[in-house]
Amino acid sequence: MKSFSYYFLRTFYTKYNSLKKIYKYDEVPKDILVNCPSCKSQDINDFYNMDRYGFNVRTSWCSNCGLIFVNPRINFDSYNRLYMDGFYRRIIEVVSVKKQKSLDEIPKRVVLALSKLVEVYKDKELDVLDIGGTEGIYNYLDKNLKIRKYLCVNPGAEEADIKVTSNVQVANTTIEEFEAGDQKYDLILLFGTISHLMNPYEAFLKSRNLLKDDGLFVLDFKDNLTRMRAVNLPFTQLHFDHPIYFSKDSLETLVANVGLKVREHITYKNGVSYFFLAKENNFSGEKTVNVETSGVALMAERSRNASITNILSKRFFWNS
């Protein structure tokens, strides 16, 4: 029951106090989605109508691939400004229980994933695209790999504080809006960013097209369906600044749909998974979806039927 106490206090404290003074979510322009942003299906359903910050954030889920997503969501321009104008960092500072790490630091689990790349590419000059990159990730790569060109695509690039040089470039935008040229990359990274994608299908398809034939696309994620099962109030895993919520099944469906394949998959005890993706050379362009979505439907029902009064009552009787 500890998890309930944590999310209950954080959600409702911020709802009635300082968070709404920082960010006027109800006044931000929004887009209504009629298609799933991952598989393009129109078979979408209501999930819930509030997020963990206490904002009136409506979410939907896709009956075709199982993706959960914010709908309506803030538009691209407002989403970019959320990061560029520093609102995101101020929100995180208000709601975080733990002290936020500096962006020039990287977690040990990320170091383990990056060390595998060092083993693969230690003797090769690389062109690297880092989606949502930070100073810490760049410094590690620069120290341990032979980087010919490094490009960071991040709407919060100023905060990431990556220094631009002759072989280091920064694009202050989302990967979906990034205007890519003919450059191809040996390595594309998506660390701590997958839930921030606005249109995951376009983002993954663009990443595939920017990947060299023998390149790797490496990302991390947490199975959001598993995370929701672990708490009393599933909506406490939702927040407006994370537009999408993958499960392992919905992510693997997207991977297959854009012509990628899983070369290796690592999951750590804390639930973080790393996917090492490569191009599927025999990709026909046909979408094949075979996802069991009953678990998502059940989670939507749990969210709608969750009663704070009932949970508090149970908590009282269990502890009495």
Side-chain angles (χ1 to χ4, degrees), residues 80 83-84 103 133 152-161 170-173:
N80 282 342
Y83 292 91
M84 293 178 184
L103 293 178
C152 171
V153 176
N154 186 348
E158 291 184 5
E159 187 179 67
D161 198 27
V170 173
N172 205 354
T173 186

Side-chain angles (χ1 to χ4, degrees), residues 111-176:
V111 173
L112 290 173
L114 293 175
S115 67
K116 291 185 67 67
L117 298 176
V118 173
E119 293 175 9
V120 175
Y121 291 120
K122 60 182 178 180
D123 297 321
K124 181 179 180 179
E125 285 193 336
L126 298 176
D127 296 315
V128 179
L129 169 60
D130 193 355
I131 303 169
T134 64
E135 181 185 11
I137 291 177
Y138 169 72
N139 289 341
Y140 182 93
L141 294 175
D142 186 51
K143 179 180 178 180
N144 294 281
L145 292 173
K146 300 176 181 178
I147 297 180
R148 181 169 46 224
K149 179 179 179 179
Y150 176 90
L151 170 64
C152 171
V153 176
N154 186 348
E158 291 184 5
E159 187 179 67
D161 198 27
I162 296 173
K163 305 298 187 296
V164 175
T165 65
S166 59
N167 69 327
V168 177
Q169 298 178 4
V170 173
N172 205 354
T173 186
T174 61
I175 185 61
E176 295 94 331

Side-chain angles (χ1 to χ4, degrees), residues 20-48:
K20 287 188 175 182
K21 298 177 183 178
I22 294 175
Y23 194 70
K24 307 293 185 182
Y25 176 78
D26 290 339
E27 301 174 10
V28 177
K30 300 176 181 67
D31 296 325
I32 297 175
L33 304 181
V34 297
N35 299 90
C36 170
S38 183
C39 73
K40 304 303 180 184
S41 170
Q42 292 187 353
D43 191 4
I44 58 179
N45 313 273
D46 291 337
F47 189 83
Y48 200 63

